[in-house]
């Protein structure tokens, strides 16, 4: 698996898989653990992981369809928290849920 994280095509594949896992963690509340060998991961992969670990800001990886899914699936959680379903509150709630359920082991 680690060898596949070295090329630029592999980085693109990683982005797709990472978004898939992020969506599972943030919308379905599935517990996800992603193990990555730092010594064999590309700088692009490490950059994505660092962004997520540091603040969860990986919205640039999500497609417009992913963003619609996040809004649709997260809005009920936002309303249940007594918050207005603004884009800011929806994204903040999605990030909080995703960070709680998505663990990264380096």
């Amino acid at each position: 698996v680690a060898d596949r994280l070295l090329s630029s095509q592999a980085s693109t594949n990683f982005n797709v898989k990472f978004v898939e896992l992020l969506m599972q963690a943030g919308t379905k509340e599935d517990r996800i653990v992603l193990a990555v060998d730092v010594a064999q991961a590309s700088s692009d992969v490490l950059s994505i992981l660092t962004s997520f670990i540091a603040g969860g800001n990986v919205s640039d990886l999500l497609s417009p369809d992913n963003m619609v899914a996040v809004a649709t699936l997260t809005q009920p959680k936002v309303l249940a928290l007594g918050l207005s379903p603004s884009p800011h509150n929806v994204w903040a709630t999605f990030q909080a849920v995703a960070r709680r359920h998505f663990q990264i082991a380096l």
Side-chain angles (χ1 to χ4, degrees):
V1 173
D3 291 339
R4 290 182 274 164
L5 296 178
L6 295 173
S7 71
S8 62
Q9 181 182 3
S11 291
T12 301
N13 292 341
F14 176 81
N15 290 1
V16 171
K17 188 63 177 174
F18 183 79
V19 167
E20 180 183 310
L21 295 173
L22 184 65
M23 294 296 290
Q24 278 184 269
T27 61
K28 296 179 182 178
E29 298 188 34
D30 290 343
R31 293 226 176 254
I32 306 289
V33 176
L34 177 64
V36 177
D37 183 351
V38 176
Q40 295 191 14
S42 71
S43 61
D44 291 340
V45 168
L46 294 176
S47 176
I48 291 167
L49 295 176
T50 301
S51 293
F52 180 72
I53 292 168
N57 188 12
V58 290
S59 61
D60 56 323
L61 296 177
L62 275 62
S63 70
D65 288 343
N66 290 134
M67 294 301 282
V68 169
V70 165
T72 302
L73 297 169
T74 307
Q75 187 174 6
K77 294 173 190 160
V78 172
L79 293 171
L81 292 170
L83 302 171
S84 68
S86 69
H88 172 77
N89 288 341
V90 168
W91 182 249
T93 301
F94 172 78
Q95 282 184 297
V97 171
R99 289 179 59 77
R100 191 169 45 248
H101 290 92
F102 194 166
Q103 306 291 311
I104 298 173
L106 301 175

